[in-house]
Amino acid sequence: METPPHGASEQEQSDFDEVINTHKSWLKSVLGLGALEAKLWVASSAQLLALMCGVIFLLLTTWLLLIATIAVVAWSYGFSLVGILSTATLATFFSSFALLYWVKRTLKNMNFARTLDAVIPTDED
């Protein structure tokens, strides 16, 4: 039985070490990308939440002033107070659904698929 020369065995070990190091580097890059995506998502979420709170506060203030103005004008023209308050309640209720739709659409568009495609292009590109 003939044993392979020492040089061939060392070459195979060197190639194997190189493959392992390449895979470690690749895994480190993928995990780094995942960490970066998580940081971007958290930063975007915090910013979105702060902006949403500000916008909701301003819209709520404006909406209440608008309802009060319409109520005063309607009262001055002789409309009943019950009719004015029920109309204002329905208008507020339907506007909350519009805001809820806006928030859902914003959250749906908050993905980083385009960033991931730009960093790691797929074969389809």
Side-chain angles (χ1 to χ4, degrees):
M1 207 185 225
E2 194 174 315
T3 60
H6 265 295
S9 176
E10 289 175 5
Q11 178 65 29
E12 288 175 8
Q13 184 65 30
S14 174
D15 290 344
F16 185 69
D17 288 341
E18 187 177 330
V19 168
I20 287 176
N21 288 334
T22 303
H23 278 80
K24 282 182 184 179
S25 173
W26 175 80
L27 183 61
K28 193 177 196 181
S29 297
V30 169
L31 291 176
L33 179 64
L36 179 64
E37 290 283 336
K39 287 178 186 177
L40 286 172
W41 196 87
V42 167
S44 296
S45 297
Q47 183 181 11
L48 179 67
L49 183 62
L51 290 173
M52 281 175 40
C53 289
V55 167
I56 288 172
F57 177 75
L58 291 175
L59 285 175
L60 181 63
T61 303
T62 305
W63 184 243
L64 290 175
L65 288 172
L66 180 66
I67 289 174
T69 304
I70 292 172
V72 167
V73 170
W75 179 261
S76 70
Y77 281 109
F79 285 95
S80 72
L81 188 59
V82 174
I84 294 170
L85 291 178
S86 61
T87 303
T89 302
L90 286 174
T92 304
F93 183 71
F94 288 124
S95 68
S96 67
F97 279 113
L99 284 175
L100 183 62
Y101 171 74
W102 185 28
V103 169
K104 283 183 180 181
R105 191 181 68 186
T106 302
L107 288 174
K108 183 180 176 184
N109 291 333
M110 258 186 63
N111 65 11
F112 297 102
R114 290 180 292 241
T115 305
L116 186 60
D117 288 342
V119 174
I120 303 175
T122 59
D123 292 336
E124 298 169 3
D125 292 342

